[in-house]
Amino acid sequence: MNRAVTRTLSANTHHLRLCRRTLCSATTDHVYHATPGEVNDNVQPYDIAIVGGGMVGMALACSLATTPLTKHLKVAIIDANPALTNQVPINREDPPDPRVSTVTPATISSFKDIGAWQYVQQHRHAYFDKMQVWDYTGLGYTKYDARDVYKEVLGCVVENKVLHRSLLSRIEDTDFGKTIYPSRLMSMSLHPSSSSNIVDDTSSAEALYSRGRLAKLELSDQKSLYAKLVVGSDGAKSQVRELMGFKKTGWNYSQNAVICTVEHSVENHCAWQRFLPSGPIAILPIGDNFSNIVWTMNPKEASDLKSLSEEDFVKAVNHALDYGYGPHPRPSLLDSSSMFSWLGGNMTITSNASFEVPPKVVKLASARMSFPLSLLHANNYASKRVVLIGDAAHTVHPLAGQGVNLGFGDAFALSRTIAEGVAVGMDIGEVSVLKRYEAERRPANIGMMAILDGFQKAYSVDFGPLNILRAAAFHGAHFILPLKRNIISYASGEQRLPLFT
Amino acid sequence: MPRLCFPALGTIAAMALRRGQVRQNLRRYLFNPSRSISSSAAYNIEGKNDNKSSKNELELAKFAAMSDTWWDSEGPFKPLHAMNPTRLAFIRSTLCRHFRKDPQRPRPFEGLSIIDVGCGGGILSEPLARMGATVTGVDAVEKNVKIARLHADLDPMTSTIEYHCTTAEKLVEEQKKFDAVISLEVIEHVANPAEFCQSLSALTISGGATVVSTVNRSMRSYAATIVVAEYLLHWLPKGTHQWSSFLTPEELVLILQRASVNVKEMAGFVYNPLTGRWLLSDDISVNFIAFGTKFDQ
Ligand SMILES: Cc1cc2nc3c(=O)[nH]c(=O)nc-3n(C[C@H](O)[C@H](O)[C@H](O)COP(=O)(O)OP(=O)(O)OC[C@H]3O[C@@H](n4cnc5c(N)ncnc54)[C@H](O)[C@@H]3O)c2cc1C
Ligand SMILES: C[S@@+](CC[C@H](N)C(=O)[O-])C[C@H]1O[C@@H](n2cnc3c(N)ncnc32)[C@H](O)[C@@H]1O
């Protein structure tokens, strides 16, 4: 088989050389369009192939493009999403898209570092500095304030399309050599090790591939390409992860999230989250008088909710955020000072943080969408020439709005790892280089996943005693400032160690 | 980056010199011209296949299999692989400063000629080439050089490396000169370290740089390198090292000084068993690396 490869290869050498020359002169910002009948002429190998140009994949590309040690790399971005090639203008007058992300202060500062935050600021975005979390039993509530952690804001809510576009615009402002393939990855392969067959043209991509120095990717439009490193940023259903046989652990929550945009008659400045018997409902400010709703429930309830009339849906939302399912919490119900005396030490009682009801929703402002939720974690993030980032490596419950922030954390960590590898002259696809990224990110992601999953477990079981316990947890979080500070700084992405340290 | 500068070391060296044993050792290194430099037994794999005119495909396949050992990051050369990013970080930073190169650039060594003496399978030569240097790798063992060649050809960035089976002193005879001469983990395998340093120096242009790394002759290094690495972890084949031939940092500084190389910076490598990584540190009691500059005699 190898001999056959060798023969076709030498026959093609002249042709390949020509192609390479034309490709070298290709300018940056190249979009590779498929021409029918054209076969495999794009042999110039890439340094990095990013499979999946979603928010996380684009964050990686943007970070590489703006780092002195990596901006020279040749990068291919593979994604059929038309948003990458056909940029319809984002109109500020349109109501916000229901797909939004809560970005943490840590993410904001990374975006500033790579120069992408200024583009976000040109579009609609909503900072919030307060957060109220309560539950339907009326036993507890907690208010978080950015000032408790000496911060200006707790986070910022931004539409996913704005984050995506900002990263793309930032990349386009650099002279980064990227090629976009508007296509899907169908298969990929890697030769096991530097095998011994000697091929005449030692530097041709096919020869390097046959020696295990390049991965080969085949796309849905019959194109193929080679890269030293393949990054799987292709989301929760990652093809890269499946094709390369990364093992994973995970389960479905048998829950769905219903998301939509709603309108108030006043502007909302706080993030609200209430735990209901069927799951949490969150309402996040997204700018002007709009808010975003993420409401978790079982699939049957979700489809019922989606088929309600707009008017009934608005009623259901207001009900769920006010007296629905149970009373407003009263802080005096539990004597927190005696309850938490075993914790010892200095307890600070925040007195002026009284319970509030979120602003009423007056109108539904987008379609309602429903997504099944699942928890998934790849056991490894890195193997030879392949690395996973973002949802491809882990999906979490959208409870604390952490999903994409963990992914951004991955993207920036991988970019740093690659820069370090380049600095000391390593082959960036070497597993020893990639394992450094894995060692940095796995513990951080597992920590956050365990916390979110723990939350989810505690709140989807409705036992009497458990309710008291979690109310107690609320009180604890509310009244003991240092504890609360830990929770906030962890949720805002600035702490590596789990809670209660 | 923690480092020891030369004046501090000079003092240590002076103190150490008062100890008779050290003086004796030094005498052995400095005044024993009869012992010629040869490759250590551990790396001496008999290589009779020197017939360059007709390639022996079977032998080629064998070299390729061997190449998997030099380049197997979990194999016998695991410590060199694990240490590589750390020692390259030291080299990058010292050479960039010395040759006024911009460390923010991906290929800061462009325009520099570097020789890697005792290159083995090319674990160090390849990254140096990727960092832009014009690299020559030499090793006394023919098979190593062949393995290095095969592996470097796998990547267009490293296929420009020139590999030769020769020794430093032969290159001196040929009057070769390089901007920087680097020889890592070799000096403990040569017969006469002082002569070896003379050769390294002779290969360095005036004002150029010489970088040497080795294992310290301390009790800790005995435990760490011979007992742990060779016997317990089986990282290295048994008998790879002879403790008595290890140099202390002060001895290395002195023999380099006699060879017209001023040691300017020195750092230690410390292994963290939890992360499996090596860190640069000012603890030079086990593994250490020295950067020096060649002055005119
Ligand atoms: C209901 C819901 C609400 C959420 N709310 C929040 C929130 O408030 N805050 C938060 O931080 N996170 C939230 N998340 C999570 C967040 O959306 C994800 O973590 C984030 O989108 C992950 O980004 P990604 O780039 O890794 O993957 P994705 O956004 O899934 O992007 C994957 C990309 O890969 C492409 N692709 C897929 N397969 C292939 C292939 N074979 N070949 C080529 N390209 C391919 C796709 O076209 C896509 O562009 C929420 C998730 C859900 C479901
Ligand atoms: C421990 S290995 C180090 C390899 C390489 N310098 C590295 O650090 O990755 C020592 C190497 O030095 C070579 N060597 C030993 N004595 C030598 C000599 N006198 N001249 C040239 N090479 C020598 C051996 O063949 C072997 O490849």
Side-chain angles (χ1 to χ4, degrees):
Chain A
M1 183 249 157
N2 275 326
R3 209 162 278 159
V5 170
T6 316
R7 216 171 307 128
T8 18
L9 226 126
S10 17
N12 273 338
T13 310
H14 180 64
H15 174 61
L16 300 185
R17 286 248 164 81
L18 276 173
C19 291
R20 215 175 301 146
R21 207 170 309 132
T22 32
L23 261 153
C24 289
S25 61
T27 49
T28 60
D29 210 64
H30 188 89
V31 176
Y32 204 95
H33 284 288
T35 323
E38 204 179 1
V39 247
N40 195 19
D41 63 346
N42 187 35
V43 288
Q44 172 83 349
Y46 289 94
D47 291 304
I48 305 177
I50 300 178
V51 181
M55 289 185 284
V56 173
M58 293 315 281
L60 172 66
C62 192
S63 179
L64 293 170
T66 53
T67 302
L69 280 168
T70 53
K71 64 181 188 203
H72 68 289
L73 296 175
K74 252 180 74 81
V75 173
I77 301 170
I78 299 144
D79 198 320
N81 181 357
L84 280 169
T85 42
N86 177 21
Q87 303 184 17
V88 277
I90 297 178
N91 190 349
R92 249 208 109 121
E93 306 310 311
D94 293 343
D97 206 83
R99 263 171 285 211
V100 304
S101 295
T102 314
V103 295
T104 60
T107 297
I108 295 173
S109 91
S110 300
F111 266 60
K112 285 183 178 160
D113 289 347
I114 59 170
W117 192 249
Q118 64 191 84
Y119 295 88
V120 174
Q121 285 173 313
Q122 289 166 12
H123 298 282
R124 185 188 284 128
H125 61 286
Y127 291 104
F128 61 94
D129 58 2
K130 288 192 188 64
M131 195 162 134
Q132 176 178 288
V133 183
W134 72 111
D135 87 342
Y136 72 95
T137 60
L139 290 181
Y141 77 92
T142 297
K143 285 194 106 164
Y144 301 101
D145 194 312
R147 278 170 305 181
D148 291 346
V149 282
Y150 319 110
K151 285 252 148 40
E152 303 263 303
V153 298
L154 288 175
C156 186
V157 186
V158 190
E159 288 159 77
N160 287 359
K161 68 176 183 202
V162 168
L163 288 170
H164 192 256
R165 175 65 58 82
S166 301
L167 292 163
L168 196 56
S169 305
R170 175 67 187 112
I171 295 171
E172 274 161 8
D173 269 5
T174 65
D175 52 5
F176 191 49
K178 70 167 194 320
T179 307
I180 294 174
Y181 286 79
S183 183
R184 291 180 59 80
L185 175 74
M186 296 309 282
S187 72
M188 75 178 272
S189 50
L190 201 59
H191 264 257
S193 73
S194 38
S195 51
S196 56
N197 51 59
I198 317 277
V199 188
D200 300 335
D201 183 355
T202 50
S203 62
S204 83
E206 186 77 37
L208 294 171
Y209 160 70
S210 74
R211 291 153 181 211
R213 303 303 295 249
L214 292 174
K216 181 178 187 176
L217 291 84
E218 308 205 43
L219 311 185
S220 53
D221 56 7
Q222 320 302 321
K223 292 255 164 278
S224 62
L225 58 114
Y226 296 93
K228 287 183 191 160
L229 171 62
V230 179
V231 180
S233 47
D234 47 350
K237 297 198 178 102
S238 172
Q239 277 285 98
V240 173
R241 185 188 63 222
E242 299 306 313
L243 288 168
M244 296 318 285
F246 281 91
K247 294 210 169 57
K248 57 185 192 274
T249 316
W251 51 87
N252 286 324
Y253 288 114
S254 67
Q255 281 199 311
N256 277 31
V258 173
I259 63 169
C260 62
T261 310
V262 294
E263 206 173 336
H264 310 281
S265 45
V266 291
E267 193 168 346
N268 172 18
H269 290 289
C270 176
W272 313 83
Q273 186 153 298
R274 187 182 188 209
F275 289 93
L276 302 176
S278 53
I281 177 170
I283 178 157
L284 306 165
I286 177 70
D288 303 327
N289 287 352
F290 294 107
S291 282
N292 178 268
I293 286 192
V294 182
W295 192 351
T296 314
M297 61 197 72
N298 72 43
K300 168 81 175 69
E301 291 169 313
S303 76
D304 291 350
L305 194 72
K306 269 180 73 180
S307 52
L308 287 182
S309 71
E310 286 196 19
E311 206 178 315
D312 288 342
F313 178 78
V314 169
K315 267 193 206 141
V317 170
N318 285 328
H319 184 68
L321 290 169
D322 200 341
Y323 278 107
Y325 310 96
H328 290 174
R330 276 168 296 142
S332 55
L333 207 64
L334 290 168
D335 180 1
S336 60
S337 57
S338 64
M339 245 189 106
F340 293 101
S341 55
W342 53 270
L343 273 174
N346 38 355
M347 279 188 283
T348 324
I349 312 256
T350 346
S351 50
N352 58 349
S354 60
F355 175 79
E356 283 175 83
V357 177
K360 284 269 171 295
V361 169
V362 296
K363 195 174 152 224
L364 179 66
S366 78
R368 285 159 278 179
M369 304 181 181
S370 167
F371 297 93
L373 299 180
S374 61
L375 180 136
L376 184 148
H377 191 236
N379 298 359
N380 290 297
Y381 298 177
S383 69
K384 197 179 173 203
R385 311 217 169 270
V386 189
V387 69
L388 303 176
I389 60 175
D391 275 23
H394 44 73
T395 61
V396 299
H397 196 280
L399 199 66
Q402 286 301 315
V404 84
N405 292 292
L406 294 181
F408 286 142
D410 294 348
F412 297 123
L414 179 60
S415 170
R416 270 196 305 278
T417 305
I418 293 172
E420 281 165 21
V422 168
V424 294
M426 295 289 140
D427 170 353
I428 56 172
E430 252 343 299
V431 68
S432 59
V433 174
L434 304 175
K435 284 285 174 193
R436 291 186 166 215
Y437 151 76
E438 180 183 286
E440 178 176 347
R441 290 306 297 170
R442 261 187 99 238
N445 292 338
I446 287 176
M448 182 54 87
M449 291 179 80
I451 288 164
L452 294 181
D453 194 48
F455 257 110
Q456 160 63 20
K457 293 253 161 65
Y459 285 98
S460 46
V461 189
D462 199 15
F463 288 139
L466 233 127
N467 286 352
I468 305 227
L469 266 181
R470 80 188 177 213
F474 269 135
H475 278 269
H478 189 176
F479 289 112
I480 303 165
L481 208 56
L483 189 67
K484 199 159 92 172
R485 198 168 287 149
N486 272 337
I487 295 177
I488 311 180
S489 43
Y490 197 69
S492 58
E494 295 192 346
Q495 203 154 307
R496 290 203 165 181
L497 294 169
L499 308 179
F500 315 126
T501 47
Chain B
M1 186 189 309
R3 63 185 84 83
L4 268 178
C5 57
F6 180 56
L9 255 156
T11 331
I12 301 170
M15 277 160 54
L17 267 182
R18 264 175 253 129
R19 300 203 311 265
Q21 187 232 341
V22 175
R23 214 173 295 141
Q24 230 171 25
N25 271 319
L26 266 179
R27 202 167 301 137
R28 200 183 93 217
Y29 293 123
L30 301 173
F31 313 107
N32 196 349
S34 65
R35 293 168 72 184
S36 68
I37 297 176
S38 72
S39 51
S40 122
Y43 294 92
N44 230 337
I45 316 138
E46 82 273 39
K48 1 179 184 43
N49 188 29
D50 261 347
N51 190 346
K52 288 183 189 85
S53 56
S54 83
K55 272 187 203 161
N56 182 335
E57 293 303 323
L58 210 89
E59 278 300 295
L60 273 179
K62 271 196 214 162
F63 295 144
M66 285 282 300
S67 139
D68 285 343
T69 334
W70 262 107
W71 284 95
D72 178 1
S73 54
E74 295 297 314
F77 298 105
K78 182 178 173 170
L80 294 181
H81 285 282
M83 245 191 232
N84 223 19
T86 316
R87 58 192 198 173
L88 282 155
F90 177 88
I91 293 170
R92 181 184 180 92
S93 119
T94 49
L95 293 194
C96 279
R97 217 165 326 128
H98 181 68
F99 292 105
R100 295 177 204 286
K101 299 282 182 183
D102 178 3
Q104 286 300 307
R105 295 194 27 206
R107 292 165 61 81
F109 293 169
E110 259 164 8
L112 288 185
S113 63
I114 301 184
I115 183 167
D116 177 7
V117 178
C119 60
I123 297 174
L124 183 84
S125 301
E126 290 195 11
L128 292 173
R130 287 199 194 88
M131 289 155 82
T134 306
V135 180
T136 306
V138 299
D139 200 284
V141 176
E142 174 94 48
K143 283 195 173 184
N144 289 347
V145 173
K146 287 191 172 164
I147 287 151
R149 173 81 273 147
L150 267 179
H151 195 271
D153 283 342
L154 296 177
D155 184 346
M157 301 259 271
T158 55
S159 57
T160 52
I161 300 172
E162 264 192 53
Y163 284 114
H164 299 290
C165 177
T166 183
T167 55
E169 57 282 6
K170 283 211 197 96
L171 292 171
V172 175
E173 279 170 29
E174 292 167 28
Q175 303 194 321
K176 294 273 196 300
K177 293 274 182 193
F178 301 86
D179 296 322
V181 176
I182 306 184
S183 184
L184 306 191
E185 314 303 319
V186 178
I187 199 165
E188 67 271 25
H189 302 288
V190 305
N192 189 323
E195 272 183 16
F196 186 67
C197 284
Q198 293 285 358
S199 302
L200 296 183
S201 169
L203 291 175
T204 314
I205 58 159
S206 177
T210 312
V211 182
V212 176
S213 81
T214 184
V215 196
N216 194 343
R217 191 180 64 254
S218 66
M219 278 323 283
R220 275 193 50 210
S221 76
Y222 180 78
T225 311
I226 299 192
V227 181
V228 180
E230 294 186 14
Y231 287 87
L232 296 179
L233 298 178
H234 305 295
W235 271 0
L236 300 171
K238 286 181 188 126
T240 301
H241 291 98
Q242 263 188 306
W243 189 62
S244 59
S245 60
F246 289 178
L247 287 168
T248 64
E250 41 278 22
E251 287 164 356
L252 179 68
V253 167
L254 277 172
I255 59 177
L256 280 170
Q257 180 76 27
R258 295 209 177 199
S260 316
V261 174
N262 244 334
V263 173
K264 295 266 179 65
E265 283 184 42
M266 200 179 265
F269 298 124
V270 187
Y271 183 68
N272 178 344
L274 293 180
T275 59
R277 290 205 203 178
W278 292 82
L279 293 173
L280 279 179
S281 117
D282 50 13
D283 175 3
I284 51 175
S285 61
V286 183
N287 296 83
F288 64 97
I289 186 164
F291 159 84
T293 55
K294 166 94 175 274
F295 57 86
D296 291 317
Q297 284 104 322

